[in-house]
Amino acid sequence: MASTPTSTPRNPLLTLSYLTIISLWVGAQTVPIPYVINLMVLVTAILYAACHGSLALREEQALARGEKPPKEDKKDGDKDANDGENKDDDEEEEDERPQYETLKAQDAMQFPLLGSASLFGLYLAFKYFDKDTVNLIISVYFCLVGCAALTTTFGPLVEAVGPKSWGSTWFSKHVSFPHPLPESIGGPSPWDLGIDCNVADILAFLGSAGFVAVYFQTKHWTMNNVLGI
């Protein structure tokens, strides 16, 4: 299902940060770059991109909580004339309010349990499986998480350098199904699973999938650094 919401304005500094990161990673393989300069420029570009992403996430979560951006003051006559329109706009904003999950206290309390279960599962894997099988499982997991991270990271870059239609055409698919688990373990029922992406996200995913496929075969250290960062 496709829709065309208003695209966000492009940030040239964010685009420059992504291009700087890519240029340093590629250039360092062929041209000797002083360590201090490489480190300072690379860290600055990474921090700017990460901080920009956190600000966008903060705004999205505020909208999900029902907060509204401040509106400009209008004259008394305009306020009386537009009361009905404002009510309709409020209802539309309520319907179009984005749904984003935020970390809750209950989720934080589950971290020790989940961490302990993960470590215990890793211990059992090393105890009952051979080293090659464990390395294969870890590599597959690392590639899946890395593919998702690269898609999220480079999606905005593809949207910034590509046509506007890449960022304005969206595809959405949601599926809900009940589960028998207690709410304290599985959360409220039914589970609502869905995906919302635009053309830039799809192109970024295809490129990321190809990247992690090459990494899975070669395990090159530079590609490992890309996935790690």
Side-chain angles (χ1 to χ4, degrees):
M1 179 179 180
S3 58
T4 56
T6 304
S7 59
T8 56
R10 297 180 178 180
N11 185 342
L13 291 179
L14 181 62
T15 304
L16 178 62
S17 298
Y18 285 126
L19 293 177
T20 300
I21 295 172
I22 296 174
S23 300
L24 286 176
W25 278 336
V26 175
Q29 309 304 315
T30 56
V31 180
I33 302 176
Y35 173 76
V36 176
I37 296 177
N38 191 348
L39 179 64
M40 296 298 296
V41 176
L42 182 62
V43 170
T44 301
I46 293 175
L47 287 178
Y48 181 84
C51 292
H52 185 274
S54 66
L55 290 176
L57 179 61
R58 179 178 180 272
E59 181 179 355
E60 292 170 351
Q61 291 178 344
L63 293 175
R65 292 192 300 267
E67 300 179 13
K68 299 178 181 179
K71 298 181 179 180
E72 297 180 357
D73 295 335
K74 298 181 180 180
K75 297 180 181 180
D76 294 339
D78 295 337
K79 291 181 179 179
D80 295 337
N82 295 330
D83 283 342
E85 296 180 1
N86 291 336
K87 291 180 180 179
D88 295 337
D89 293 340
D90 293 339
E91 293 178 356
E92 292 179 359
E93 291 177 359
E94 183 72 20
D95 295 336
E96 298 176 358
R97 179 187 301 177
Q99 300 296 326
Y100 292 93
E101 293 186 0
T102 55
L103 183 64
K104 302 177 182 178
Q106 183 180 4
D107 299 329
M109 289 187 292
Q110 292 178 353
F111 281 171
L113 299 177
L114 296 176
S116 300
S118 300
L119 291 176
F120 182 68
L122 188 61
Y123 164 76
L124 293 178
F126 277 107
K127 183 176 179 62
Y128 295 105
F129 293 100
D130 60 279
K131 181 181 66 175
D132 294 335
T133 302
V134 175
N135 289 335
L136 177 62
I137 295 174
I138 295 177
S139 297
V140 171
Y141 171 78
F142 189 62
C143 288
L144 291 177
V145 175
C147 182
L150 288 178
T151 302
T152 304
T153 302
F154 290 102
L157 176 61
V158 175
E159 179 179 348
V161 300
K164 291 184 178 180
S165 59
W166 287 6
S168 61
T169 303
W170 286 76
F171 302 90
S172 177
K173 181 65 176 180
H174 291 264
V175 178
S176 299
F177 59 92
H179 66 83
L181 299 175
E183 185 173 351
S184 59
I185 299 177
S189 181
W191 284 335
D192 184 13
L193 303 179
I195 182 173
D196 297 287
C197 61
N198 54 23
V199 178
D201 294 330
I202 296 175
L203 294 177
F205 170 76
L206 295 177
S208 301
F211 182 90
V212 298
V214 175
Y215 167 76
F216 186 80
Q217 296 293 332
T218 62
K219 299 294 193 303
H220 197 275
W221 66 272
T222 55
M223 306 180 76
N224 183 79
N225 289 345
V226 173
L227 294 176
I229 294 177

